[in-house]
Amino acid sequence: MDKTDENGWTPLPHSDEDLKRARQVPDTPQTRAPTYRLAWDDEDFMTRRELRAVRLQLELLKPELALAERGIRSTVILFGGARLPEPGGEAWAAKNETQKKNLEKNSRYYEQARRFARLCSEESAKSYYREYVVVTGGGPGVMEAGNRGAADCGAPSIGLNIVLPHEQAPNAYVTPDLCFNFHYFAIRKMHFMMRAKAVAVFPGGFGTMDELFESLTLIQTGRMERVPVILFGKEFWEHAIDLPYLAEQGTISPGDDQLITFVDTAEEAWAKIAAFYEL
């Protein structure tokens, strides 16, 4: 048997070969015992609390290998509300008439997210989809719009889903072999930021705020290179976050608000990114 692969020659059996052999042994009380299972093929063992450090490593490594194998070098992140419907769609998350009215009004951001993702993907095509690849949280609302905009022009896009108490499937527009699922929020956040060349944030709730402030904190503290952080909908964000008040109170520095750029349209947003990177 030729034991040469992309990592070179080895006279030792590959793990996939031994996995097949281990599953073909005779059925006996000994081979049925949990202790007999290969450690990394033992679900009960791998989900023990003591194995958390190993699972954290695996969640970091699995998407990293897949993205590297696709040659993806940089991304544009789209954060935003899962509850925003597409224009004309049902405001399924509304709990009262006021929410229904506002969600329907804010559905325009679904269309802007879709258009913005299309613009990013048209630029990405110039690098054979290695740069400026759209990445979202893989769910509904703004996330769906982002993946959909990429799909509109035949571009791949990434979805970083996470297991939640309520059932949530990836949206239908994520590229299947770039659709990932996470247990750990922290590792998911790392994958959002590790290749980010721009962060586009649309109106949303706690999750959107969390990701926005995570991005701003990394940039403000110098733990990450400055990249464009673009907020869609100045009226929404000026009500949701009072940055001048934070500066007045001294809890952020004067000028920290300059880390953010407000826009209202996809074209404005892409123009800001193009100018920043001199495209």
Side-chain angles (χ1 to χ4, degrees):
M1 179 185 295
D2 184 5
K3 302 291 289 185
T4 303
D5 61 17
E6 68 271 12
N7 298 312
W9 159 261
T10 175
L12 303 173
H14 292 300
S15 56
D16 60 338
E17 296 170 339
D18 269 357
L19 180 60
K20 292 177 184 176
R21 291 169 183 157
R23 290 175 175 176
Q24 292 170 354
V25 297
D27 182 25
T28 70
Q30 290 76 23
T31 61
R32 287 196 298 270
T35 51
Y36 184 77
R37 299 173 196 153
L38 289 168
W40 39 268
D41 190 40
D42 184 345
E43 186 176 288
D44 293 332
F45 175 68
M46 288 299 296
T47 54
R48 287 179 61 137
R49 291 194 176 187
E50 296 90 339
L51 271 288
R52 179 176 291 149
V54 175
R55 293 194 300 274
L56 284 162
Q57 285 184 296
L58 292 174
E59 283 212 344
L60 182 64
L61 185 60
K62 182 180 178 180
E64 179 63 21
L65 290 175
L67 295 175
E69 286 166 1
R70 284 288 290 254
I72 295 174
R73 295 190 292 258
S74 71
T75 58
V76 177
I77 308 171
L78 275 74
F79 292 134
R83 305 181 184 200
L84 295 189
E86 65 177 303
E90 179 189 0
W92 55 269
K95 300 295 189 286
N96 53 54
E97 283 303 311
T98 299
Q99 287 196 348
K100 181 176 184 294
K101 180 187 72 174
N102 286 325
L103 285 170
E104 289 174 351
K105 174 185 173 184
N106 287 329
S107 68
R108 66 186 186 275
Y109 294 113
Y110 181 106
E111 187 57 34
Q112 291 301 325
R114 185 175 175 181
R115 287 167 57 187
F116 175 68
R118 194 180 308 137
L119 292 171
C120 296
S121 298
E122 288 170 356
E123 178 66 27
S124 183
K126 299 175 184 177
S127 63
Y128 302 98
Y129 303 116
R130 292 182 174 88
E131 305 281 355
Y132 301 100
V133 178
V134 167
V135 56
T136 80
V142 166
M143 296 173 280
E144 176 186 284
N147 297 116
R148 189 175 180 179
D152 285 341
C153 55
S157 67
I158 303 164
L160 305 181
N161 289 80
I162 191 156
V163 178
L164 297 172
H166 54 277
E167 184 178 344
Q168 177 180 297
N171 70 68
Y173 302 99
V174 181
T175 300
D177 61 352
L178 293 175
C179 187
F180 304 98
N181 200 17
F182 292 85
H183 173 66
Y184 297 106
F185 262 108
I187 301 300
R188 180 177 181 253
K189 288 181 177 182
M190 287 187 67
H191 276 293
F192 271 125
M193 305 311 300
M194 284 167 63
R195 288 174 167 81
K197 272 195 171 177
V199 181
V201 190
F202 296 79
F206 289 156
T208 303
M209 301 288 182
D210 177 44
E211 300 293 2
L212 168 60
F213 282 106
E214 179 90 19
S215 306
L216 291 174
T217 300
L218 288 170
I219 295 170
Q220 184 209 45
T221 57
R223 294 295 299 167
M224 174 181 172
E225 293 291 329
R226 183 168 183 178
V227 303
V229 178
I230 299 170
L231 272 58
F232 278 74
K234 188 172 184 179
E235 179 185 0
F236 174 89
W237 288 109
E238 285 186 337
H239 280 84
I241 304 171
D242 194 340
L243 293 176
Y245 180 77
L246 293 179
E248 180 184 291
Q249 295 299 308
T251 55
I252 63 173
S253 298
D256 276 350
D257 58 338
Q258 299 305 306
L259 297 175
I260 289 172
T261 301
F262 294 101
V263 301
D264 287 308
T265 69
E267 290 74 16
E268 285 180 83
W270 180 251
K272 299 292 184 183
I273 295 171
F276 188 90
Y277 290 108
E278 299 180 348
L279 297 178

